[in-house]
Amino acid sequence: MSVKEDQIIRELSHYIYEHPDERMALMPVYDAAVDHSRRRACTHEQRCPLVVTGGVVVNEDGRVLCLRNGTRYALAEAEPEDEDDTLSGAALRLLAEQVGIRDVWTQPGAEGPFLVDVTMPGHHPYGPRLRVGIRYLFRAHSGAVFPSAIEMGAAAWMPLSKIGIEAVQRRVETLSVGAQ
């Protein structure tokens, strides 16, 4: 993975500073990243938290881009790959590969992670490790996605109320006030 622990540490530090009420829940993740960085290797026998990244893309109508995941739609997320230099870049790469999204931008003041969510083992498809999702908020026009991705059902612009993650709903609502 090219995304270094140092970047994960920076992103988590920024996020914890912005959201001090979430500090206790995120400290084990932060500590594991610091340990990896200092040792330059994982000494946790792959039991350390697994970091995934994702982009939450909101269009001009306040709808959120979701990708087909089996029989339902979900927010896009994936593990960073070797070619990824940043977590936000990994999120954008995933969206570009899956639905050809282009011409996205960040809202001023929301360039860092806008949500870090943690899922316990057994409640996600990534195996027996704690899953840590670092999500970034992006803006795009509806036409930024390949029309064929929408027409064929690979992606859809969903109302915010249909997003099943309450923390995403609250954060997008909070950041969208006055932004449109």
Side-chain angles (χ1 to χ4, degrees):
M1 175 168 63
S2 292
V3 174
K4 303 288 186 243
E5 284 81 10
D6 293 347
Q7 189 206 5
I8 295 170
I9 293 167
R10 280 192 307 277
E11 295 288 34
L12 286 172
S13 293
H14 173 78
Y15 184 83
I16 290 169
Y17 176 79
E18 294 289 325
H19 306 280
D21 55 315
E22 298 179 40
R23 178 184 175 97
M24 293 306 293
L26 295 176
M27 285 313 293
V29 176
Y30 180 85
D31 290 342
V34 168
D35 189 54
H36 280 210
S37 180
R38 287 184 181 147
R39 295 174 192 257
R40 302 203 186 279
C42 177
T43 58
H44 307 107
E45 299 174 8
Q46 297 300 315
R47 291 173 299 168
C48 53
L50 173 71
V51 175
V52 297
T53 186
V56 177
V57 182
V58 180
N59 72 7
E60 65 276 9
D61 297 323
R63 292 178 172 264
V64 178
L65 181 65
C66 293
L67 305 183
R68 180 164 303 281
N69 184 2
T71 60
R72 61 184 185 88
Y73 287 99
L75 295 174
E77 75 174 30
E79 291 180 64
E81 294 181 358
D82 288 340
E83 72 261 18
D84 298 321
D85 293 326
T86 65
L87 291 168
S88 62
L92 288 173
R93 176 197 43 80
L94 170 67
L95 291 166
E97 288 175 357
Q98 296 293 314
V99 295
I101 195 158
R102 60 191 186 285
D103 299 327
V104 299
W105 64 93
T106 57
Q107 182 172 313
E111 293 88 358
F114 94 107
L115 180 67
V116 176
D117 57 287
V118 178
T119 308
M120 299 303 290
H123 298 279
H124 60 72
Y126 297 106
R129 297 163 64 187
L130 187 71
R131 177 211 148 275
V132 180
I134 300 180
R135 299 181 189 273
Y136 295 85
L137 180 64
F138 300 107
R139 299 287 181 167
H141 294 289
S142 296
V145 175
F146 284 151
S148 60
I150 301 293
E151 292 165 6
M152 295 176 65
W157 291 102
M158 305 294 285
L160 185 56
S161 62
K162 298 284 186 186
I163 303 302
I165 306 169
E166 289 182 35
V168 169
Q169 292 175 352
R170 285 193 309 274
R171 292 273 166 84
V172 169
E173 287 171 351
T174 300
L175 291 171
S176 294
V177 174
Q180 295 184 17

